[in-house]
Amino acid sequence: MELQQVDIGSEFHALPDDVLAERIAARKQELGEELLILCHHYQQESVYRFADMTGDSLKLAKHAAACNDKPYIVFCGVHFMAESADILTGDNQAVILPDLRAGCPMADMASLDEVAWSWKELSAVTGGDRIIPVTYVNSSAAIKAFVGERQGSVCTSSNAERVLTWALEHGEKVFFFPDEHLGRNSAIALGIKPDEIILWNREETLGGNSEDAIKRAKVILWNGYCTVHMQFTAAHVKMWREKDPEVRIIVHPECKHEVVAGADQYGSTEKIIQAVSGSRPGSKWAIGTEINLVNRLARLNPDKEIHSLSPFQCLCSTMYRIKPKYLLWILDNLVNREVKNQIRVDPDTAKLARIALARMLEI
Ligand code: 13P
Ligand code: SF4
């Protein structure tokens, strides 16, 4: 059953920012060692400042797996990340998502029914070829379980090329979902020829492909995408190149291939942070990722010139749902031993999904 976000009440909605911050800090202190607040890099500053640990999807999954002494893990990120944390933590730990409406539109583009149906169609055409399923971590626990059951692996934006290499060593074909762009960027980086990469359009029979094209393909990409990273275009890359040749362009691999190909570097949010923070004073950057991270990098690196690659605000509106008032509501309840918004993956799904996550951590 889908959990629904309840209204937290006017008492929380009416609180001014400074009062919210004071009360969150006090609750954090009261809960002490029992509490772990994890924050993804796209969180807004008013929440991010309360993080015990921050990271990209891979780092946060590893943190959650390592912190087995924390009964309460408050996950300031999106639903699939909290699910992964629940899968990797013990039964004595509660993973909590402060606002249940914080989903990921890309993860919602691959339902279990659609993927299972497509898998059947694909297998019927490819006959004896071994297909390895690889799912980006931005997917539901049910999808991860589907992959675990079929000896596949999860990947994140920081290890997609490594996981794809592993998959191609273990099978003739890889079925990659849900992000077309991460899949294509990783496959091209590995030197796979463009005519061996095909797109699986989930609305069409055989994904809109001929049987021949499917038989020839090495990498089959689901047609999902990130609504935030799709907003960066090749025209933005061109604009910066013309404006200032000294500007280095770095983008997330969820961007379209033409954007990644035009950039100087690409990588996960963690890699973007490392590249920008480690660059020499006076460096100039145009960054193709979510605006909260770009603004934070600009604030933390006043000796550098930092811009968003796009002139428009590319905000992840679902990440943005995690607001201080929801965090406070969660912590107020925890102090009274009431766990709200716990993310629970059912044990059968968790067991299979853990196989796919564990394989990624091994690779
Ligand atoms: P990272 O793993 O690079 O943090 O990316 C997660 C994400 O959702 C990017 O849109
Ligand atoms: Fe999903 Fe894109 Fe938001 Fe990441 S930035 S959580 S992929 S919608």
Side-chain angles (χ1 to χ4, degrees), residues 46 53 58 98-99 108 115 129 163 193 211 216 229 240 288 347:
S46 51
M53 289 175 175
L58 181 63
D99 185 333
D108 295 340
V115 171
D129 276 7
V163 173
K193 296 193 213 95
E211 292 200 5
R216 260 197 323 269
H229 289 95
W240 280 106

Side-chain angles (χ1 to χ4, degrees), residues 57 99 105 115 121 135 151 230 242 254 290 314 323 338:
S57 307
D99 185 333
V115 171
E121 280 196 312
T135 186
Q151 288 77 47
M230 286 297 278
E242 285 169 1
E254 287 173 13
E290 207 268 351
C314 296
K323 295 195 163 59
E338 276 231 42

